[in-house]
Amino acid sequence: MAPPNGSELYTFSVQGVTDVIRSVREAMPTQYLVQIESFTDMKDSIAGLNPEHFESTEFDATGHKWVLVIYPHGNKDEDGEDHISLYLKLISPQEHTYDAMEKEKGIAHAIPFSDFTQSTNGFLKNDRCKFGVEVFVADTVPRTAALSVLNEHLRHTVTWTIKEFSKLTEDQYSNAFTRKGRTELVLNPRGFGPARRKSLSLFLNLVDFSDLTNGRKLLVEKTLRVKNQLNGEDASESTCGWYTKAMHCSGTCHLLSVSDLHNANKGFKVEDQHWILATCGWYTKARHSSGTCHLLSVSDLHNANKGFKVEDQNPKTREKST
């Protein structure tokens, strides 16, 4: 409500069903404003109505049509006697009501009638006054996420033998395996990205990721390794992270340095042959709708020890139809 010539407005903000926040501000309502030229005439015009109330003309806000409802003597059905009562009524579309039953909500005790009519308060001057409203509608569809545990292929180990390794110049792809033949290993013999000409790079790629649509994700734990054929320690790296349609390939750029790779004493290459091993586990599949929920905290996301963030970027994989 605003004084006809004043600079401050008495405002109400309805939070939930019963909570009302009262405040004073200078800015006029930006969506709808009703100016009553004669408060007395308005009261006389609604005399005899049951209940006695005034409805404004329709106005558009947030894609819906509304009217502002004013009870100058208070809404007696909600014990609003001796107060000005203000309500917002939804006109259309009918199916988008405040809740399942009601189309009208507001404040029965907006302001005591005595305070409203007190001339020094500035709400009613020369029998004139103003009422305004701003409408904010929350999304009626809740944001949800579904998490399911996969029961198939919980763990799988594959061994890939690479022969005539010294002759390789292009990226190598293993035969598809696990998840019904929808996964493969990608080997960069000369290194990928920052590891080019420095290290051997190895990645796990989802060949078919057609089920990772509409925000679906797959949690994968994997260990990628180059077998030490002289019974020494393998070169390996273990990570755990989410696979998506956009990020369906991950691994490590710096799995094994070029110097160790070609050093016969290290045991990784015997007769120009390497053994590549991968152990994979699929645990959960998450599906999101209407946005993103708090699936993983930022602190865990960037904590290298947690394993959700792989330091190096993904390699360029072959184009696959989805």
Side-chain angles (χ1 to χ4, degrees):
M1 292 181 295
N5 299 311
S7 59
E8 291 186 338
L9 291 87
Y10 191 48
T11 66
F12 317 89
S13 176
V14 179
Q15 305 288 329
V17 178
T18 59
D19 297 332
V20 178
I21 298 177
R22 302 173 186 270
S23 61
V24 176
R25 76 179 198 186
E26 294 184 358
M28 286 285 186
T30 58
Q31 292 178 326
Y32 190 68
L33 189 67
V34 179
Q35 179 168 309
I36 308 297
E37 296 296 335
S38 174
F39 187 70
T40 301
D41 289 344
M42 183 193 73
K43 291 192 299 178
D44 292 342
S45 67
I46 62 175
L49 292 180
N50 186 21
E52 293 186 356
H53 68 285
F54 167 81
E55 291 191 1
S56 72
T57 57
E58 295 181 6
F59 64 94
D60 294 319
T62 66
H64 306 292
K65 292 186 180 297
W66 313 81
V67 295
L68 181 61
V69 184
I70 305 170
Y71 293 78
H73 295 295
N75 184 357
K76 297 178 176 58
D77 292 338
E78 295 190 1
D79 300 324
E81 293 90 342
D82 301 322
H83 286 76
I84 300 292
S85 300
L86 297 175
Y87 290 81
L88 187 63
K89 184 177 180 180
L90 180 63
I91 300 300
S92 65
Q94 296 294 336
E95 63 271 19
H96 292 285
T97 58
Y98 292 96
D99 52 39
M101 298 298 294
E102 297 180 276
K103 293 187 297 179
E104 180 177 305
K105 283 186 179 293
I107 309 167
H109 301 87
I111 186 173
F113 190 76
S114 58
D115 290 348
F116 177 77
T117 56
Q118 178 63 43
S119 60
T120 56
N121 289 333
F123 296 112
L124 186 65
K125 188 173 182 179
N126 297 327
D127 205 30
R128 298 171 59 209
C129 58
K130 295 179 182 179
F131 298 90
V133 62
E134 290 179 342
V135 185
F136 303 92
V137 177
D139 190 352
T140 57
V141 179
R143 298 188 176 191
T144 61
L147 187 68
S148 58
V149 178
L150 299 179
N151 294 319
E152 58 174 346
H153 304 302
L154 289 182
R155 296 193 68 82
H156 189 92
T157 300
V158 61
T159 300
W160 182 22
T161 302
I162 307 293
K163 298 180 179 180
E164 297 184 329
F165 186 88
S166 60
K167 297 181 180 180
L168 300 179
T169 58
E170 303 293 333
D171 293 347
Q172 301 297 305
Y173 299 84
S174 73
N175 293 328
F177 63 94
T178 74
R179 299 198 74 227
K180 301 179 181 179
R182 296 164 60 184
T183 311
E184 67 182 2
L185 293 174
V186 182
L187 174 71
N188 304 98
R190 299 292 180 263
F192 175 78
R196 187 167 297 280
R197 299 187 181 88
K198 298 178 182 179
S199 301
L200 177 145
S201 304
L202 185 63
F203 300 87
L204 180 69
N205 178 51
L206 296 185
V207 181
D208 182 1
F209 43 87
S210 58
D211 59 342
L212 299 183
T213 58
N214 299 323
R216 288 179 173 85
K217 298 181 179 183
L218 184 69
L219 180 61
V220 179
E221 181 188 49
K222 59 184 176 293
T223 298
L224 305 175
R225 67 179 69 239
V226 178
K227 180 67 177 178
N228 190 307
Q229 301 179 57
L230 298 181
N231 297 321
E233 184 178 354
D234 296 344
S236 65
E237 181 168 320
S238 299
T239 60
C240 183
W242 292 99
Y243 275 59
T244 67
K245 183 177 181 180
M247 297 292 290
H248 54 82
C249 183
S250 71
T252 174
C253 289
H254 301 279
L255 182 58
L256 182 64
S257 68
V258 172
S259 58
D260 289 346
L261 179 68
H262 296 290
N263 188 334
N265 296 325
K266 294 291 185 177
F268 294 105
K269 183 171 72 171
V270 175
E271 297 180 355
D272 203 22
Q273 178 175 287
H274 290 277
W275 288 0
I276 308 297
L277 291 85
T279 301
C280 313
W282 285 264
Y283 293 107
T284 58
K285 182 162 58 177
R287 183 184 74 252
H288 299 271
S289 62
S290 300
T292 306
C293 298
H294 300 287
L295 190 61
L296 184 66
S297 68
V298 174
S299 59
D300 286 347
L301 176 66
H302 295 289
N303 187 334
N305 296 325
K306 295 291 186 179
F308 294 106
K309 182 180 179 182
V310 179
E311 177 182 357
D312 300 312
Q313 57 184 328
N314 292 329
K316 180 179 180 182
T317 58
R318 296 173 296 177
E319 294 294 329
K320 301 286 183 179
S321 61
T322 60

